[in-house]
Amino acid sequence: MKNIAGKTVLLTGASGGIGAFIARTLAQEGATVVGVSRSQSGLEKISAEINATGGKAISIPFDITKLAELPTLVEKINQIAGEVDIVINNAAIEKFRPFQNYTSEDIQSILTLNLHAPMELTRLLLPSMLERNIGHIVNISSGAGKKAAPFNSIYSASKAGLIAWSEAIRQELANTNIGVSVICPGCTNAGMFLALDMPAPSGVRIAEPTEVADVVIESIQQNRKEVILDSFAVKVFYALSQLSPEWGDSMIKKAGVIETNHNCAQKQMQAEYLIRN
Ligand SMILES: NC(=O)c1ccc[n+]([C@@H]2O[C@H](COP(=O)([O-])OP(=O)(O)OC[C@H]3O[C@@H](n4cnc5c(N)ncnc54)[C@H](OP(=O)(O)O)[C@@H]3O)[C@@H](O)[C@H]2O)c1
C-alpha cells in the first residue's frame, strides 16, 4: 500500500510503549489512527497529542481478550471511523516463569492477547478488505519468536505463532491487494523491556521505539514480508539456530540469557508473592 494518508488504521496497544510511537508516526503520515487498549487515560493522552498537532486519532478503550465482544468493537470502529484499511496487532503481555510455575490462566491470558485476539480481529476485518481489494495486516512479533527465550516460554510460543500465522495468510493472500507483514523487534528502549529492568544480552543492540514505528510504516508502504529489527549478527544467529538448535542454545547460554531470564522470573514471582501476602 503505497499511500498511508487518508487510511483508517486500527492499532492495538496504542496507549503506551512502542504503540504510542507507532500511533504518532502513522498520524504524521496522514492516517486516521483508531487506538485500542484498556486504559482510557493512556489512549486519550496520545489521541489529544496527535489531534493537537494536526493529526487524526480516535480512542476506543477495550479489552481485546474479550474475544466474543470483538465483533461489537469492529462495528463501533466502522460507525465512528469507517472501514479499517490497516490493522496493526501490537498489544501483548509477557510473564517470566519456569514453565511448570505458569498457571493455566497465565497460559490462556498470554496466548489470548498475543495470538488469538490478533487472529480474531483480522478474521473480522479481512472480508471488508477483500471486498474492497485493499488492506494491510501488520503483526508485531519479537526476536523471541525467532529463537525462543528460556523462562519466557508462553510469550515465545505466542510470538512464534504470530510469525507462522502471518506466513500462512501472506501466501493465501498473495494474489490480492492485501499485504501481510510481521515485525520482529529485539530489545527496544520502551514498554515491556524497560518495565523488566534487566540488562540486554551481551552483544545485543537496544533499538529505539521510533525505529520500530518507522519499520511499521515502511513495511506497509513496501509490503515487506518479515522484518527482523536487529543487527546482521543476530539475523545470522537466528538462521544458524534453525540449522543447529544445539548451537543456538549454547549461544543463548553464553550470552547469559538463561541466568538473566531465570533471575527475572524469580523477581516476578517474589513480587507477586509479596502482593498476595
Ligand atoms: N519493548 C520491547 O523490547 C519489545 C521487544 C520485542 C517485541 N515487542 C513487542 O512490541 C509490542 C509492544 O510492546 P511494548 O514494549 O510497547 O509493550 P507495553 O508497553 O507493555 O504495551 C502493551 C500495550 O498493550 C496494551 N494491552 C495490554 N493488555 C491489553 C488488553 N487486554 N486489551 C487491549 N490492549 C491491551 C497495553 O495497554 P493497556 O494496559 O492500556 O491495555 C499497552 O498499550 C508487543 O507486541 C511486544 O511483544 C516489544
Side-chain angles (χ1 to χ4, degrees):
M1 188 184 287
K2 294 243 162 15
N3 202 356
I4 293 175
K7 300 292 187 296
T8 298
V9 186
L10 166 55
L11 169 66
T12 68
S15 61
I18 295 172
F21 288 86
I22 299 174
R24 289 186 194 104
T25 311
L26 285 166
Q28 280 158 13
E29 290 292 323
T32 298
V33 184
V34 182
V36 172
S37 60
R38 293 164 306 174
S39 153
Q40 185 163 3
S41 58
L43 281 177
E44 278 171 4
K45 198 169 154 226
I46 304 297
S47 295
E49 182 196 313
I50 289 173
N51 291 325
T53 48
K56 282 189 199 157
I58 295 160
S59 303
I60 306 189
F62 203 92
D63 180 347
I64 60 167
T65 61
K66 295 183 173 160
L67 300 177
E69 294 175 27
L70 289 179
T72 315
L73 170 67
V74 171
E75 265 172 43
K76 196 169 170 182
I77 295 170
N78 291 159
Q79 276 165 14
I80 300 174
E83 299 290 327
V84 172
D85 302 303
I86 300 165
V87 56
I88 303 177
N89 292 305
N90 166 71
I93 44 167
E94 68 180 349
K95 189 168 190 173
F96 285 69
R97 286 287 183 279
F99 175 67
Q100 67 277 10
N101 289 109
Y102 284 108
T103 63
S104 182
E105 289 74 26
D106 287 335
I107 296 174
Q108 192 169 19
S109 64
I110 299 167
L111 292 180
T112 303
L113 179 64
N114 297 10
L115 187 58
H116 199 163
M119 288 175 171
E120 190 59 14
L121 268 177
T122 306
R123 195 182 70 80
L124 293 165
L125 296 169
L126 192 53
S128 155
M129 291 182 183
L130 284 168
E131 206 170 291
R132 293 175 293 132
N133 199 27
I134 186 162
H136 205 98
I137 299 152
V138 181
N139 293 320
I140 309 293
S141 178
S142 164
K146 286 277 158 194
K147 176 69 186 170
F151 302 103
N152 200 7
S153 56
I154 312 305
Y155 175 82
S156 301
S158 71
K159 294 299 180 177
L162 267 184
I163 295 170
W165 168 61
S166 304
E167 193 174 311
I169 58 170
R170 176 180 91 213
Q171 295 173 84
E172 291 176 32
L173 296 169
N175 293 330
T176 72
N177 202 23
I178 292 134
V180 181
S181 304
V182 62
I183 317 288
C184 305
C187 295
T188 306
N189 197 14
M192 53 175 67
F193 176 67
L194 289 184
L196 287 175
D197 191 25
M198 68 179 203
S202 60
V204 164
R205 185 179 83 91
I206 300 177
E208 290 305 318
T210 46
E211 292 177 63
V212 183
D214 289 344
V215 157
V216 167
I217 301 295
E218 194 185 294
S219 298
I220 299 166
Q221 288 170 336
Q222 298 174 18
N223 193 14
R224 294 188 68 181
K225 313 297 181 216
E226 181 181 294
V227 182
I228 298 171
L229 198 73
D230 223 314
S231 63
F232 182 70
V234 169
K235 290 177 193 172
V236 170
F237 163 71
Y238 291 147
L240 292 180
S241 295
Q242 290 284 307
L243 294 174
S244 171
E246 294 83 0
W247 176 84
D249 290 2
S250 73
M251 294 304 283
I252 286 278
K253 195 173 172 190
K254 212 167 149 188
V257 178
I258 297 185
E259 204 186 327
T260 308
N261 288 10
H262 183 253
N263 290 342
C264 188
Q266 294 296 333
K267 215 166 92 180
Q268 287 191 355
M269 288 195 294
Q270 274 161 15
E272 281 186 20
Y273 177 81
L274 289 176
I275 290 169
R276 273 200 313 272
N277 295 282

